[in-house]
Amino acid sequence: EILSFSRPGTITLLSTNGKIIQKLGPATREKVNQKEIPQLVKNAFIAAEDRRFYKHNGIDMWGIIRAIKQNLNERSIEEGASTITQQLARIVFLNQSKTITRKIKEAALALKIERQLSKEKILAQYLNNVYLGSSAYGISDAAWVYYSKTPKLLTLPEVALIAGLAPAPSLYSPLVNPELSLQRRAAVLQRMYLEGYISKAELSESTNSSLNLNPATPKYFNSVAPFFSSWALKQLPLYLTAEQLEIGGLKIHTSINLSWQTKAKQI
C-alpha cells in the first residue's frame, strides 16, 4: 500500500500511447527512483527531520526526550519528535489531526513499516511523497517548483532550503516568507554541519548565499490538450461513481494521440 500510494482525489489522464496529458489533484507529479536520489538530499532531510533515522526502529525515544526538554525550555512546542517513518505512516494512512489516538496509531504503524521495509525504501517513499509547499509533493516536484531543476542538480543551499520546508511548508515557503525561509535554511545547514555532512566552509558559504529562486509551474499541472481534458473529465461520472472519483489514484486512458494532436496544431 505504501509503494503504490496515491492521495485522495488524484487523477492522471493518459494518451493512447501512455503519455501524460495532465495530473489533477494533490499528486506527486514526478518521482525519483530510489537509487537515483542524491546523497546530499538524503543527508539534508535526515539532519533536518530525523538525525537518528538509521539507529531507531521507527520510534526514537531519545528524540522524544530531547523534544520534551526543548519544548519545556522554550515553554512552547518548538520541536516535534516524529521520525521519518512516523511521518510516512501519517502521509499514507492517517491525517494531520493532533490527537493522542492518531499518535498511537502512527507509532504502531511506524514499527510495522520498519519490520517490513528497508531504511532506504522508507526514506525513498518519504522523499517522494512529503508535501513541500506550492503544490509540490516530493523532492522532485519541489526542485522543479522552486528552482526549475531536477534533484541531482540542486546545490547545497537549495537542498537545505527544501529540506527545511517539511514541518510547515506554507510558513517556510520562500515564495511566501523569504526571510523566514532563510532562517530555516540556516538551521538545517547548522544541523548538517553538526552531523558531519558538510564542512565549516560549506556551512559559512551556504548560509551567506542568496535564495536564487527560479520558480516554475508544477509538471503536468496544465494540460497539453486543455479542450480535450475538460471534455474527458466531464465524461468520467458516466463511468465512475462519485466515491471512486473522490478516492482517486486513478489512471484514465483516453482516445487522444498526442503526437498526432501536436502535428495537427502545427498544421
Side-chain angles (χ1 to χ4, degrees):
E1 201 166 333
I2 288 172
L3 301 182
S4 60
F5 169 66
S6 291
R7 284 180 174 80
T10 57
I11 294 174
T12 301
L13 291 178
L14 300 169
S15 68
T16 50
N17 56 355
K19 289 187 177 180
I20 296 172
I21 302 169
Q22 188 178 14
K23 284 195 174 187
L24 300 153
T28 298
R29 288 175 161 76
E30 194 168 66
K31 293 190 175 184
V32 188
N33 186 283
Q34 181 182 324
K35 294 179 181 177
E36 295 174 356
I37 298 173
Q39 190 61 46
L40 182 63
V41 170
K42 296 179 185 178
N43 293 346
F45 274 87
I46 288 170
E49 290 296 301
D50 187 1
R51 65 189 79 172
R52 286 172 40 82
F53 175 68
Y54 289 108
K55 297 175 183 175
H56 62 65
N57 63 348
I59 302 171
D60 183 9
M61 294 308 299
W62 287 110
I64 292 170
I65 293 167
R66 185 180 63 244
I68 291 171
K69 186 177 178 182
Q70 175 73 10
N71 294 335
L72 286 173
N73 288 339
E74 299 293 335
R75 295 179 180 273
S76 63
I77 306 299
E78 297 293 326
E79 187 171 338
S82 287
T83 64
I84 281 173
T85 315
Q86 285 175 272
Q87 291 182 52
L88 179 61
R90 187 189 315 153
I91 291 167
V92 177
F93 299 108
L94 304 169
N95 55 44
Q96 298 296 324
S97 64
K98 294 184 178 181
T99 64
I100 296 295
T101 304
R102 195 218 75 198
K103 291 298 289 184
I104 292 170
K105 288 180 180 178
E106 183 184 288
L109 285 164
L111 291 170
K112 186 173 177 63
I113 289 168
E114 290 266 352
R115 288 197 299 271
Q116 294 187 316
L117 300 177
S118 68
K119 286 285 188 181
E120 291 306 314
K121 195 159 281 187
I122 291 168
L123 186 57
Q125 291 304 312
Y126 171 78
L127 290 173
N128 274 319
N129 288 294
V130 61
Y131 182 57
L132 296 167
S134 301
S135 296
Y137 292 85
I139 181 63
S140 186
D141 287 5
W144 182 257
V145 165
Y146 297 115
Y147 295 107
S148 302
K149 292 181 177 182
T150 59
K152 66 180 179 181
L153 296 178
L154 292 171
T155 63
L156 172 57
E158 291 168 352
V159 168
L161 184 138
I162 292 172
L165 293 171
S170 299
L171 181 65
Y172 295 131
S173 171
L175 303 177
V176 179
N177 296 313
E179 289 302 318
L180 198 57
S181 71
L182 283 172
Q183 292 174 27
R184 177 64 184 163
R185 184 187 72 177
V188 173
L189 287 166
Q190 181 66 23
R191 289 188 183 186
M192 292 182 75
Y193 169 68
L194 292 174
E195 293 300 312
Y197 293 134
I198 61 174
S199 66
K200 192 149 192 173
E202 288 174 315
L203 169 65
S204 177
E205 184 181 349
S206 298
T207 302
N208 293 319
S209 66
S210 56
L211 279 174
N212 295 323
L213 296 174
N214 186 19
T217 303
K219 290 183 179 180
Y220 311 118
F221 188 82
N222 296 320
S223 173
V224 293
F227 181 84
F228 178 82
S229 292
S230 61
W231 172 83
L233 290 170
K234 287 177 184 176
Q235 308 307 307
L236 291 185
L238 301 176
Y239 302 95
L240 299 164
T241 65
E243 186 182 8
Q244 285 174 316
L245 289 170
E246 186 180 345
I247 291 170
L250 302 170
K251 288 184 178 180
I252 310 296
H253 294 266
T254 71
S255 59
I256 195 170
N257 184 312
L258 280 184
S259 58
W260 290 6
Q261 178 69 15
T262 303
K263 288 171 186 174
K265 278 183 182 178
Q266 290 169 352
I267 292 167

